[in-house]
Amino acid sequence: LLYSSDRDEFSRERLQMGEELRRALKEGILTLRYQPKVDSLTNQVVGVEALVRWDHPERGTIVPMEFLPVARRTGLMQGLSEAVVEQAVAAAKRWHDSGLALNVAINVAPPELLAGQLMPILYEAIARARIPAHLITCLLYTSPSPRAS
């Protein structure tokens, strides 16, 4: 086997990205974009899916496929999940308060769900926002499998 930095989990670039991600979480730089969910019978928007994005000051927008593995490897998934929950619940509250009862779907990886820490944080955020619980949905997702050898 030959060395390939693409397969090195501890390459300088990935370690640097981990530190930058830690700062981005602390500074609240990660944002959510909302993809509409449309009822195919009525063509009405019935909800949205919250999609996390990292607007990096030098690299531009970084998609989750690039930074989620780094977040998982560096122990930042819990903080990332909490940031997503807070932003998604805040958006649901804004829409609810303006008369839009849009369901907001949040993508959650099975390890974060099974760890048992995320759901109490979600319930607390919903209670603080004083919105109906049915406005937030968790979607389980699995990460794409690692590249084949």
Side-chain angles (χ1 to χ4, degrees), residues 16-113:
Q16 180 179 350
M17 183 180 268
E19 270 312 302
E20 291 174 357
L21 182 56
R22 186 178 314 280
R23 270 193 308 266
L25 281 169
K26 187 176 181 179
E27 296 170 6
I29 294 174
L30 279 86
T31 59
L32 297 183
R33 309 279 177 22
Y34 297 96
Q35 178 172 298
K37 296 189 318 184
V38 177
D39 182 312
S40 60
L41 293 175
T42 65
N43 287 327
Q44 297 294 311
V45 174
V46 295
V48 294
E49 181 179 358
L51 304 171
V52 65
R53 296 294 184 265
W54 179 8
D55 294 319
H56 193 281
E58 295 161 8
R59 300 179 196 198
T61 301
I62 302 174
V63 296
M65 192 181 309
E66 293 181 41
F67 66 83
L68 288 181
V70 173
R72 187 162 283 113
R73 229 179 355 267
T74 55
L76 297 173
M77 278 304 293
Q78 181 67 30
L80 176 60
S81 296
E82 289 177 23
V84 167
V85 162
E86 292 296 330
Q87 288 185 46
V89 169
K93 178 173 178 45
R94 282 191 307 276
W95 292 322
H96 180 264
D97 290 351
S98 69
L100 292 172
L102 290 177
N103 175 274
V104 179
I106 301 170
N107 293 300
V108 179
E112 279 66 53
L113 186 64

